Amino acid sequence: MNNLFAVTSGKGGVGKSTVASSLAGAAEMLGKKTLLIDLDEGLRCLDMMLSMSESIVLDLSDAFNGHDINHAIYPVPSHPLLYLLPAPAFYGRIDEGAFGEFIRESVSHFDIVIVDFPAGIDLRLYKQLPDTTRFLTVCNPDPVSVRDASVVSDRLSEIGKTDNRLILNRFCMDYIKSGVYKGIDDIIDLSRIRLAGVVPTDNQILLAQAKGKLIKRGKAAKSFTRIMKRLLGEDIPLPKPKKI
């Protein structure tokens, strides 16, 4: 079973970090010791989303410059099996080779490792990931975001990373009712990526983030749990669009 997941997106603002943290929370609630890694140098956000910004002293780059890596891995409050490795506060601090070595080592110490990559198609760090990595490309239902997801998928294929799944975030039925798409299958066909799951628009996510918490209830929370179970090998059917 793959236990290393790389969360990607073409454009920023699609909720990629929300997806990464929520999937990590879902894995933890399923009893999995989980490491969440923030790779967004200079624009890190997972520490704030998890109410941990004031406790961060060391980060990923410090771990590659003589510090014990364990001192840069922080337990997430109220989540006994969830840990965060924050990104550097400044851009350009991550050594590619050291990152690759750390990733290969980390998968033996955690049940699940989720890496939140920055948006875009700079794939230098992606190349350091093992071939067994499963990529999770996040997009919104708008056509531009779906097209960008297909571009990311193409770029990943070019460097030999072909185990890619689509997470459709912030979905609402208006896209189908208004005729933008006939159904979710249209979005899958346009992205040319196999679907991992669909997350509905849910204001509880925004409220939880404002409080620095992970969502535990509501439609979106249930969606993340279903997605994580699928990624762990369970056969979980996709609900009908109206019930997502």
Side-chain angles (χ1 to χ4, degrees):
M1 181 194 73
N2 293 348
N3 70 334
L4 175 59
F5 302 97
V7 184
T8 74
S9 72
K11 299 184 74 68
V14 299
K16 175 180 54 59
S17 295
T18 298
V19 169
S21 60
S22 298
L23 287 175
E28 193 261 353
M29 286 193 292
L30 292 171
K32 304 297 182 181
K33 184 180 179 183
T34 303
L35 176 62
L36 178 60
I37 303 175
D38 191 341
L39 277 192
D40 206 348
E41 296 178 276
L43 294 171
R44 69 186 186 194
C45 64
L46 292 176
D47 57 322
M48 292 192 66
M49 292 168 64
L50 298 172
S51 291
M52 298 176 63
S53 56
E54 294 184 1
S55 64
I56 301 301
V57 178
L58 301 178
D59 58 44
L60 187 62
S61 64
D62 293 309
F64 299 154
N65 288 283
H67 292 277
D68 186 341
I69 187 68
N70 294 309
H71 294 164
I73 296 176
Y74 298 84
V76 177
S78 302
H79 295 272
L81 294 175
L82 181 57
Y83 298 82
L84 173 68
L85 177 55
F90 301 97
Y91 183 76
R93 300 293 180 87
I94 297 179
D95 178 89
E96 295 175 25
F99 168 71
E101 291 180 11
F102 166 72
I103 286 293
R104 288 187 287 274
E105 177 69 18
S106 67
V107 294
S108 64
H109 296 290
F110 292 88
D111 298 320
I112 299 290
V113 177
I114 297 176
V115 187
D116 182 21
F117 278 85
I121 52 177
D122 183 349
L123 304 186
R124 288 174 294 174
L125 289 176
Y126 291 85
K127 295 178 180 179
Q128 301 299 324
L129 298 176
D131 291 339
T132 55
T133 304
R134 175 161 293 175
F135 289 83
L136 306 173
T137 299
V138 180
C139 77
N140 293 162
D142 66 275
V144 172
S145 182
V146 176
R147 182 185 65 182
D148 289 344
S150 71
V151 172
V152 170
S153 182
D154 289 343
R155 291 295 306 276
L156 289 172
S157 295
E158 290 171 5
I159 62 171
K161 310 298 184 182
T162 57
D163 192 353
N164 190 14
R165 299 290 186 273
L166 180 72
I167 295 181
L168 180 58
N169 192 34
R170 298 173 182 159
F171 174 78
C172 70
M173 280 297 296
D174 290 345
Y175 284 94
I176 295 175
K177 291 178 179 178
S178 65
V180 176
Y181 305 109
K182 294 180 180 178
I184 292 176
D185 285 346
D186 280 357
I187 299 174
I188 299 171
D189 291 343
L190 289 169
S191 70
R192 293 178 285 113
I193 307 173
R194 181 179 173 183
L195 186 68
V198 180
V199 181
T201 298
D202 189 342
N203 288 335
Q204 290 191 49
I205 294 181
L206 297 178
L207 294 174
Q209 286 183 352
K211 296 178 181 179
K213 297 180 179 180
L214 294 172
I215 58 168
K216 296 183 179 181
R217 299 178 181 83
K219 289 185 176 182
K222 292 178 180 178
S223 295
F224 287 119
T225 299
R226 287 195 296 266
I227 292 170
M228 181 49 64
K229 286 182 176 180
R230 290 189 195 106
L231 296 174
L232 292 173
E234 291 191 38
D235 185 12
I236 306 294
L238 183 73
K240 294 181 180 180
K242 292 181 180 180
K243 295 184 178 182
I244 291 175

